[in-house]
Amino acid sequence: ISGFALKVRMFVKKAWDVGTNDPRKVIHCIKVGLALAIVSLFYFMRPLYDGVGGNAMWAVMTVVVVFEPTVGATLYKCFNRVLGTFLAGFLAVGVHWVASQSGERVEPFVVGASVFLLASAATFSRLIPSVKSRFDYGALIFILTFSFVAVSGYRVDKLFELAHHRISTIIIGSSLCILVIMLVCPIWSGQELHSLIVRNMDKLADSLDGCVTQYFNQSGEGTNSKEEATDNKLQGYKCVLSSKASEESMANFGRWEPSHGQFNFRHPWKQYLKIGASMRSCAYCIEALNSCIKSENQAAKLIKQHLGSGCLKVSSSSSNVIRELAETVKTMKKKSSTTDLLAEEMKSAVQGLQNDLKTIPHLLNPSAIPGNKTLETACSEATTPTVTLMELVPVVTLASILTEISGRIEALV
Amino acid sequence: ISGFALKVRMFVKKAWDVGTNDPRKVIHCIKVGLALAIVSLFYFMRPLYDGVGGNAMWAVMTVVVVFEPTVGATLYKCFNRVLGTFLAGFLAVGVHWVASQSGERVEPFVVGASVFLLASAATFSRLIPSVKSRFDYGALIFILTFSFVAVSGYRVDKLFELAHHRISTIIIGSSLCILVIMLVCPIWSGQELHSLIVRNMDKLADSLDGCVTQYFNQSGEGTNSKEEATDNKLQGYKCVLSSKASEESMANFGRWEPSHGQFNFRHPWKQYLKIGASMRSCAYCIEALNSCIKSENQAAKLIKQHLGSGCLKVSSSSSNVIRELAETVKTMKKKSSTTDLLAEEMKSAVQGLQNDLKTIPHLLNPSAIPGNKTLETACSEATTPTVTLMELVPVVTLASILTEISGRIEALV
């Protein structure tokens, strides 16, 4: 029993953490409750209830299934739900008319066959990528409403009224959702995407910086708690590695959002995905760099010292470029002259490192250093700067893409 | 107009491709249609209809929303739907009883407050990761049913009957879905996960192999079409990079599936995720390797020749190990002696490469080679084997994990 109590305590603690880490989640929950309570009024107030009868339930259902944490996702679902219901409602009334003309014995077969065909077709359309990204939910609702109205037609007399009620209650529910989600502490998925990208860029810069610094100060001192903090920073690039799916869905929902804050209609959401992709390729390089650093082949101290300052310069200047780019994205300005300056600095740092590399052979004079062992370590050492070099390729790409996006934003804002 | 026609043609072609590339998707669509047609019988046959009345609609709805391509996903949704409905039904009837005892004026407020509270709480529970992965859909259905039954209680007299009808129709719909999905060409998500992992391992081996081979034969001949085929192979590791989300969801659904084929209950799905993670870290290394190869610093021919055979041996032996492991996973045998043999071979190849590296200094005698330029290229060259060396670390991890999983499978089967 104490084991169970412990589990419950752990669970409550976890839940509490979820709430305290992101108070907006709690606000979201309260919003759901609020929207549902408002929509329940339909049941409690007689004049409203008389209008649509028992079908008022559809408004409640709509609120439950349509309400999502972000504005974009809710708008997407509302739009799809209304559109799907409209289309399916008209089609179903048409099919019912055809079926009722064809005599009572054939009617079930006509209805059944049409349900079979249309449900299969709509399910198939959900599997086509371009439809899936925009109308997945709409197709589901289409099947739902179509089978509901078409099949009901066999037993219900006032079919047109049923379809009409279903459409109007769904519109009522959807508009209530849109009102609540946009007026009470809205969470815009475009805004989320924007800050996710900026945050990830900062993390990337931190871990690139930290990773190289830690390597060259490895033997160094430093309290334990401080080390843990840097370790956390170092792991930052892992977030970048795994953020692809969330970026895509946010960009997808961002497309549905109206103008808000600094964002316009037709905001270049795809540019964010491009930046995300370049960041991921940077992060892959950092991952490789990291495994180099952790590998067992340790470099000779001599060479470490020789290359140390050059490597540090490259890493710090390139992380500065990333930070500056993050700032640029954050403020949505055009690429400033500072960025150019920093990029120049980065290039010269790379040049300096290459010069350092060229002077290695003098240190490596085989006669001066005992055995061949040192060269192997030299190579494993050389890996660090070379990978850093590699690492610059995506950074340059990032810079050029950013020039593009900032130009576009300039054109829009 | 011709532009529009072109777009339509493109769309139809794309849709056709989706169908021909994976015929199982078409079968899935037909299954959905079939299940819906069967459940419509409830409306057409009078004795069945009389049992549950207009509420038969819930069975149709259940089929529409619960039907998913894989067995695991469908079972997950069915189970969650039934559980959520049960819980919510009982609670709602209880709340209704309390509300009706408290007088007609207070009743709406009691019901409204309970809807507000429970909906907020259930929404909050959906945000806790451990609940989300297993009961996300159940919580949604809980809110839906609870607000449906509790709010209806204000207008409907036979509330208990309503709740009872809702539960029984949902059970009917769910069991029909389970029957259809398991009897007509079932697609098991466990099976899918299994073959995805095996396929990804093969792709990884191919691209590791191809990447290194291409580098050393770069100047070489070969027809254009053949090159394209290898390019496709080379890009295989990108699938591995981006397959995390699908692996996770499949493992999640796989947990719900009953024993089928070679798979038992309590199959170690988590082991697949571990293998997937090791594969991804391999893929990151290949990505870094690839960017090294594509970089502008080309190595001197001399050194390329010197290291070529060693590198090729390492890459081919390690890709052989991966292939062998894929075979082991495929047949779910215990780690065979062949794997050990191949791993030994890989280790000796690595050793050979290191020996090759040690002999470089002799080639690099500064007096013999003009200028310092060669060393830089040598280092950039040395990156290739070193990264390959790095690459071996995850492979070894993979092997050890695999020993574990194969041991477990042995214990289970």
PDB file of all heavy atoms in Angstrom, chain A residues 321 324-325 335-347 399 403:
ATOM      1  N   VAL A 321      27.609  34.776 -34.021  1.00  0.00           N
ATOM      2  CA  VAL A 321      26.801  34.978 -35.225  1.00  0.00           C
ATOM      3  C   VAL A 321      25.412  34.396 -35.015  1.00  0.00           C
ATOM      4  O   VAL A 321      24.405  35.034 -35.319  1.00  0.00           O
ATOM      5  CB  VAL A 321      27.475  34.331 -36.455  1.00  0.00           C
ATOM      6  CG1 VAL A 321      26.541  34.373 -37.647  1.00  0.00           C
ATOM      7  CG2 VAL A 321      28.753  35.047 -36.783  1.00  0.00           C
ATOM      8  N   GLU A 324      23.415  36.601 -32.781  1.00  0.00           N
ATOM      9  CA  GLU A 324      22.998  37.821 -33.466  1.00  0.00           C
ATOM     10  C   GLU A 324      21.831  37.516 -34.407  1.00  0.00           C
ATOM     11  O   GLU A 324      20.852  38.269 -34.482  1.00  0.00           O
ATOM     12  CB  GLU A 324      24.188  38.392 -34.246  1.00  0.00           C
ATOM     13  CG  GLU A 324      23.876  39.615 -35.097  1.00  0.00           C
ATOM     14  CD  GLU A 324      23.459  40.803 -34.256  1.00  0.00           C
ATOM     15  OE1 GLU A 324      23.881  40.869 -33.086  1.00  0.00           O
ATOM     16  OE2 GLU A 324      22.712  41.654 -34.777  1.00  0.00           O
ATOM     17  N   LEU A 325      21.913  36.367 -35.082  1.00  0.00           N
ATOM     18  CA  LEU A 325      20.821  35.983 -35.978  1.00  0.00           C
ATOM     19  C   LEU A 325      19.546  35.774 -35.187  1.00  0.00           C
ATOM     20  O   LEU A 325      18.454  36.152 -35.630  1.00  0.00           O
ATOM     21  CB  LEU A 325      21.187  34.705 -36.742  1.00  0.00           C
ATOM     22  CG  LEU A 325      22.246  34.855 -37.829  1.00  0.00           C
ATOM     23  CD1 LEU A 325      22.481  33.515 -38.496  1.00  0.00           C
ATOM     24  CD2 LEU A 325      21.826  35.880 -38.855  1.00  0.00           C
ATOM     25  N   LYS A 335      18.505  42.164 -41.867  1.00  0.00           N
ATOM     26  CA  LYS A 335      19.838  41.784 -41.418  1.00  0.00           C
ATOM     27  C   LYS A 335      20.645  43.051 -41.186  1.00  0.00           C
ATOM     28  O   LYS A 335      20.822  43.862 -42.090  1.00  0.00           O
ATOM     29  CB  LYS A 335      20.512  40.917 -42.482  1.00  0.00           C
ATOM     30  CG  LYS A 335      21.468  39.902 -41.931  1.00  0.00           C
ATOM     31  CD  LYS A 335      22.069  39.101 -43.041  1.00  0.00           C
ATOM     32  CE  LYS A 335      23.342  39.777 -43.509  1.00  0.00           C
ATOM     33  NZ  LYS A 335      24.062  38.975 -44.493  1.00  0.00           N
ATOM     34  N   SER A 336      21.115  43.234 -39.958  1.00  0.00           N
ATOM     35  CA  SER A 336      21.805  44.478 -39.645  1.00  0.00           C
ATOM     36  C   SER A 336      23.278  44.385 -40.033  1.00  0.00           C
ATOM     37  O   SER A 336      23.779  43.320 -40.385  1.00  0.00           O
ATOM     38  CB  SER A 336      21.688  44.756 -38.155  1.00  0.00           C
ATOM     39  OG  SER A 336      22.361  43.743 -37.456  1.00  0.00           O
ATOM     40  N   SER A 337      23.954  45.515 -39.939  1.00  0.00           N
ATOM     41  CA  SER A 337      25.377  45.535 -40.299  1.00  0.00           C
ATOM     42  C   SER A 337      26.187  44.776 -39.249  1.00  0.00           C
ATOM     43  O   SER A 337      27.248  44.233 -39.537  1.00  0.00           O
ATOM     44  CB  SER A 337      25.873  46.971 -40.405  1.00  0.00           C
ATOM     45  OG  SER A 337      25.549  47.651 -39.207  1.00  0.00           O
ATOM     46  N   THR A 338      25.652  44.705 -38.009  1.00  0.00           N
ATOM     47  CA  THR A 338      26.343  43.956 -36.960  1.00  0.00           C
ATOM     48  C   THR A 338      26.540  42.510 -37.386  1.00  0.00           C
ATOM     49  O   THR A 338      27.589  41.910 -37.162  1.00  0.00           O
ATOM     50  CB  THR A 338      25.518  43.966 -35.656  1.00  0.00           C
ATOM     51  OG1 THR A 338      24.750  45.157 -35.598  1.00  0.00           O
ATOM     52  CG2 THR A 338      26.416  43.852 -34.455  1.00  0.00           C
ATOM     53  N   THR A 339      25.479  41.945 -37.986  1.00  0.00           N
ATOM     54  CA  THR A 339      25.567  40.556 -38.419  1.00  0.00           C
ATOM     55  C   THR A 339      26.698  40.385 -39.413  1.00  0.00           C
ATOM     56  O   THR A 339      27.492  39.449 -39.321  1.00  0.00           O
ATOM     57  CB  THR A 339      24.249  40.114 -39.068  1.00  0.00           C
ATOM     58  OG1 THR A 339      23.178  40.693 -38.359  1.00  0.00           O
ATOM     59  CG2 THR A 339      24.127  38.623 -39.079  1.00  0.00           C
ATOM     60  N   ASP A 340      26.754  41.306 -40.374  1.00  0.00           N
ATOM     61  CA  ASP A 340      27.811  41.234 -41.370  1.00  0.00           C
ATOM     62  C   ASP A 340      29.174  41.292 -40.697  1.00  0.00           C
ATOM     63  O   ASP A 340      30.079  40.516 -41.016  1.00  0.00           O
ATOM     64  CB  ASP A 340      27.684  42.396 -42.365  1.00  0.00           C
ATOM     65  CG  ASP A 340      26.495  42.189 -43.282  1.00  0.00           C
ATOM     66  OD1 ASP A 340      26.164  41.018 -43.539  1.00  0.00           O
ATOM     67  OD2 ASP A 340      25.899  43.191 -43.710  1.00  0.00           O
ATOM     68  N   LEU A 341      29.267  42.215 -39.735  1.00  0.00           N
ATOM     69  CA  LEU A 341      30.519  42.386 -39.021  1.00  0.00           C
ATOM     70  C   LEU A 341      30.923  41.094 -38.324  1.00  0.00           C
ATOM     71  O   LEU A 341      32.058  40.631 -38.432  1.00  0.00           O
ATOM     72  CB  LEU A 341      30.332  43.493 -37.970  1.00  0.00           C
ATOM     73  CG  LEU A 341      31.564  44.349 -37.708  1.00  0.00           C
ATOM     74  CD1 LEU A 341      31.746  45.335 -38.851  1.00  0.00           C
ATOM     75  CD2 LEU A 341      31.406  45.079 -36.386  1.00  0.00           C
ATOM     76  N   LEU A 342      29.955  40.501 -37.627  1.00  0.00           N
ATOM     77  CA  LEU A 342      30.253  39.273 -36.886  1.00  0.00           C
ATOM     78  C   LEU A 342      30.612  38.147 -37.837  1.00  0.00           C
ATOM     79  O   LEU A 342      31.481  37.327 -37.543  1.00  0.00           O
ATOM     80  CB  LEU A 342      29.053  38.883 -36.028  1.00  0.00           C
ATOM     81  CG  LEU A 342      28.877  39.726 -34.771  1.00  0.00           C
ATOM     82  CD1 LEU A 342      27.549  39.427 -34.130  1.00  0.00           C
ATOM     83  CD2 LEU A 342      30.004  39.454 -33.791  1.00  0.00           C
ATOM     84  N   ALA A 343      29.921  38.110 -38.982  1.00  0.00           N
ATOM     85  CA  ALA A 343      30.216  37.065 -39.951  1.00  0.00           C
ATOM     86  C   ALA A 343      31.640  37.229 -40.455  1.00  0.00           C
ATOM     87  O   ALA A 343      32.374  36.239 -40.610  1.00  0.00           O
ATOM     88  CB  ALA A 343      29.230  37.123 -41.108  1.00  0.00           C
ATOM     89  N   GLU A 344      32.033  38.472 -40.681  1.00  0.00           N
ATOM     90  CA  GLU A 344      33.412  38.745 -41.106  1.00  0.00           C
ATOM     91  C   GLU A 344      34.388  38.228 -40.056  1.00  0.00           C
ATOM     92  O   GLU A 344      35.375  37.565 -40.352  1.00  0.00           O
ATOM     93  CB  GLU A 344      33.610  40.263 -41.285  1.00  0.00           C
ATOM     94  CG  GLU A 344      33.208  40.789 -42.648  1.00  0.00           C
ATOM     95  CD  GLU A 344      33.831  39.966 -43.770  1.00  0.00           C
ATOM     96  OE1 GLU A 344      35.052  39.728 -43.699  1.00  0.00           O
ATOM     97  OE2 GLU A 344      33.100  39.563 -44.689  1.00  0.00           O
ATOM     98  N   GLU A 345      34.065  38.535 -38.792  1.00  0.00           N
ATOM     99  CA  GLU A 345      34.913  38.121 -37.682  1.00  0.00           C
ATOM    100  C   GLU A 345      35.066  36.604 -37.658  1.00  0.00           C
ATOM    101  O   GLU A 345      36.150  36.065 -37.472  1.00  0.00           O
ATOM    102  CB  GLU A 345      34.273  38.594 -36.382  1.00  0.00           C
ATOM    103  CG  GLU A 345      35.235  38.823 -35.249  1.00  0.00           C
ATOM    104  CD  GLU A 345      34.506  39.447 -34.082  1.00  0.00           C
ATOM    105  OE1 GLU A 345      34.358  40.690 -34.048  1.00  0.00           O
ATOM    106  OE2 GLU A 345      34.045  38.686 -33.226  1.00  0.00           O
ATOM    107  N   MET A 346      33.925  35.936 -37.892  1.00  0.00           N
ATOM    108  CA  MET A 346      33.936  34.484 -37.887  1.00  0.00           C
ATOM    109  C   MET A 346      34.854  33.968 -38.979  1.00  0.00           C
ATOM    110  O   MET A 346      35.657  33.069 -38.758  1.00  0.00           O
ATOM    111  CB  MET A 346      32.516  33.976 -38.108  1.00  0.00           C
ATOM    112  CG  MET A 346      32.390  32.483 -38.137  1.00  0.00           C
ATOM    113  SD  MET A 346      30.680  32.009 -38.247  1.00  0.00           S
ATOM    114  CE  MET A 346      30.321  32.387 -39.946  1.00  0.00           C
ATOM    115  N   LYS A 347      34.733  34.573 -40.152  1.00  0.00           N
ATOM    116  CA  LYS A 347      35.560  34.121 -41.268  1.00  0.00           C
ATOM    117  C   LYS A 347      37.027  34.282 -40.943  1.00  0.00           C
ATOM    118  O   LYS A 347      37.840  33.413 -41.227  1.00  0.00           O
ATOM    119  CB  LYS A 347      35.204  34.905 -42.536  1.00  0.00           C
ATOM    120  CG  LYS A 347      34.107  34.224 -43.346  1.00  0.00           C
ATOM    121  CD  LYS A 347      33.781  35.039 -44.582  1.00  0.00           C
ATOM    122  CE  LYS A 347      32.334  34.823 -44.980  1.00  0.00           C
ATOM    123  NZ  LYS A 347      31.819  35.971 -45.721  1.00  0.00           N
ATOM    124  N   ALA A 399      22.792  32.065 -42.550  1.00  0.00           N
ATOM    125  CA  ALA A 399      22.886  33.507 -42.725  1.00  0.00           C
ATOM    126  C   ALA A 399      22.214  33.922 -44.022  1.00  0.00           C
ATOM    127  O   ALA A 399      21.456  34.904 -44.057  1.00  0.00           O
ATOM    128  CB  ALA A 399      24.348  33.930 -42.728  1.00  0.00           C
ATOM    129  N   THR A 403      18.924  36.319 -44.530  1.00  0.00           N
ATOM    130  CA  THR A 403      18.841  37.529 -45.330  1.00  0.00           C
ATOM    131  C   THR A 403      17.534  37.525 -46.097  1.00  0.00           C
ATOM    132  O   THR A 403      16.834  38.537 -46.192  1.00  0.00           O
ATOM    133  CB  THR A 403      20.004  37.575 -46.337  1.00  0.00           C
ATOM    134  OG1 THR A 403      21.140  36.973 -45.762  1.00  0.00           O
ATOM    135  CG2 THR A 403      20.291  38.987 -46.760  1.00  0.00           C
TER     136      THR A 403
END
